[in-house]
Amino acid sequence: MTAPPRPGARAADLQVAGLTRMSGCDWPGRLVATVFLQGCPWNCGYCHNPDLIPTRAPGRYAWGDVLEFLSARVGLLDGVVFSGGEPTRQLGLAAAISAVRDLGLGIGLHTAGAYPRRLAAVAGSVDWIGLDIKAEPEGYDDVIRTGGGDAAWRSLEVALASSADVEVRTTVHPGSAVDVLVLARRLRAAGVRHYALQRARAEGTREEFRADGVGWDERFAHLAESVADVGFDHFEVRSG
C-alpha cells in the first residue's frame, strides 16, 4: 500500500541530481532506472558521490521530465531505485514513489538510515531496500563525522519490520576502524538475512581518500571469508 504524501510535499520539489537510465546493479536481479536525489546529512570519507552531499545544491533535472522518461520505459524496466545522497531527506519522496507506483513499476530505495521516521513513512510503498549500516551504533561518529548511529540502527528495525526485501551492506577500506566481523554478528543477531560486504572504490571519492594499501587484497579476502561463516541466508562480496 502506498503511503499518502505529506500535505504540501510535492514530487515536483525534489532536487534530482542525476538519472541513470538503465542499471543492472542498483537493485540486484532487476533492470532499473536510478534517480539520484541531492543532499545528505553525513560526510563519509569513502563516499563516491561527494557532490551529492550539499543539501542546498539545486537539482539538475525536473521531476516532471524524469517521470516522462519513466513513463516511456514502462515494459522495458522492472522498476526505479531512489538513491542519493540520502533520498529520505526530501519530503517529496513519498509523492514521487506514488507516481512511479502508478506506472506499474517496482520501487527500490537506497538509504543510509539517517531519518528513521521518514523511512517508516515510505517503507510500506517500497519493494526492496538497500540499507547501509556502517558500524555499530557507538562507532558511527568516526565514519560519518557526525552523530547518527542510533538513527541508522532504528532504521534497521524499520526496514526489517517492513514487507520489503532488505539487503544490508557495509563498505570497508584499509583505514577503517570498524570491526566488521563483530558488526556482522550483531546484524545477524538483529535478524538480517541478506548481507553484502562492499570493498570501497576510489572512483569519484575525494583526493585524500585511499581505497587500497599494502596487503589490503589479502586482508579483505580473509575478512570476507570470516563474514561468510557468520551464517547469513544470503551473503555477497562486492569488490571495487
Side-chain angles (χ1 to χ4, degrees):
M1 181 178 179
T2 301
R6 293 188 183 185
R10 306 182 308 156
D13 295 329
L14 289 179
Q15 298 159 267
V16 181
L19 172 65
T20 299
R21 297 172 183 269
M22 188 172 293
S23 170
C25 62
D26 287 327
W27 181 349
R30 300 288 186 96
L31 187 64
V32 301
T34 305
V35 179
F36 293 90
L37 301 186
Q38 183 72 36
C40 181
W42 294 344
N43 189 21
C44 302
Y46 55 76
C47 179
H48 62 269
N49 283 320
D51 290 345
L52 299 186
I53 292 176
T55 58
R56 296 185 179 180
R60 296 177 56 199
Y61 298 85
W63 171 249
D65 293 340
V66 173
L67 190 61
E68 182 179 356
F69 163 77
L70 296 175
S71 299
R73 294 301 186 273
V74 172
L76 301 176
L77 295 172
D78 298 318
V80 176
V81 172
F82 289 93
S83 187
E86 174 49 58
T88 61
R89 187 191 71 85
Q90 299 201 29
L91 297 181
L93 176 63
I97 287 174
S98 180
V100 173
R101 179 71 73 189
D102 287 345
L103 296 177
L105 293 168
I107 306 292
L109 178 67
H110 290 174
T111 179
Y115 303 101
R117 290 185 180 179
R118 297 182 187 181
L119 177 59
V122 300
S125 310
V126 172
D127 301 297
W128 175 83
I129 298 172
L131 173 63
D132 295 327
I133 294 293
K134 303 172 184 296
E136 294 184 88
E138 55 274 14
Y140 255 72
D141 289 7
D142 292 335
V143 180
I144 65 176
R145 306 178 186 180
T146 183
D150 289 343
W153 281 75
R154 291 199 304 272
S155 288
L156 174 64
E157 295 176 2
V158 169
L160 293 178
S162 75
S163 60
D165 291 332
V166 178
E167 175 190 280
V168 173
R169 54 272 191 98
T170 301
T171 301
V172 296
H173 58 91
S176 175
V178 176
D179 189 327
V180 177
L181 184 56
V182 171
L183 172 61
R185 289 169 176 159
R186 187 164 176 175
L187 289 169
R188 181 67 185 89
V192 173
R193 300 176 62 187
H194 185 164
Y195 186 57
L197 183 66
Q198 301 183 152
R199 179 171 173 167
R201 63 179 188 266
E203 179 185 357
T205 59
R206 300 174 182 89
E207 184 178 351
E208 66 270 18
F209 176 71
R210 295 291 177 266
D212 212 338
V214 176
W216 177 233
D217 288 347
E218 293 77 11
R219 287 165 53 201
F220 181 79
H222 177 71
L223 178 61
E225 290 177 1
S226 298
V227 174
D229 291 335
V230 170
F232 295 102
D233 292 357
H234 187 73
F235 173 59
E236 293 186 43
V237 179
R238 298 179 186 143
S239 300

